[in-house]
Amino acid sequence: MTKDEVADPQKLDLWLEVDGKRYQNGNTKTMVFTVAQLVAYLSKVMMSLQPGDVISTGTPPGVGMGVKPTAVYLKAGQTMKLGIQGLGEQTQKTVAAK
């Protein structure tokens, strides 16, 4: 996806489900640093960014460790599905650690 295909990268909904249950809902407007700030910093100080590079920025509220009263952790065989408005979705299946 190119810059002209995303009207405002600071107004994108994001979500994550595990086995069809929604655990996380968020929006890029709540990020500590803007997308522009992250790209500028990484380009200046850390690396040369290329089309298709992914910048991992963290996660919206709702992670399993924070679920009350009992934390929820991933188990082998579960299916995670996540998405970002306008950018798409992806699905992964968890496997046991070796």
Side-chain angles (χ1 to χ4, degrees):
M1 185 153 280
T2 59
K3 182 179 176 181
D4 62 315
E5 294 176 282
V6 178
D8 185 347
Q10 292 311 134
K11 292 183 181 175
L12 300 176
D13 292 326
L14 0 125
W15 54 269
L16 178 125
E17 296 175 352
V18 178
D19 293 335
K21 181 178 179 188
R22 178 88 35 120
Y23 280 91
Q24 294 179 280
N25 274 310
N27 189 289
T28 55
K29 68 184 170 196
T30 64
M31 294 170 59
V32 174
F33 299 104
T34 67
V35 172
Q37 289 172 317
L38 292 168
V39 170
Y41 175 76
L42 291 173
S43 297
K44 181 178 178 183
V45 180
M46 308 280 294
M47 65 187 76
S48 296
L49 293 169
Q50 302 297 319
D53 284 350
V54 174
I55 301 171
S56 295
T57 59
T59 183
V63 295
M65 187 170 66
V67 174
K68 303 292 184 207
T70 305
V72 176
Y73 296 99
L74 293 170
K75 300 174 189 76
Q78 291 184 296
T79 300
M80 297 181 302
K81 188 173 183 180
L82 58 99
I84 302 176
Q85 175 187 4
L87 299 179
E89 300 177 356
Q90 56 179 284
T91 303
Q92 295 92 28
K93 190 158 192 138
T94 58
V95 296
K98 292 183 180 186

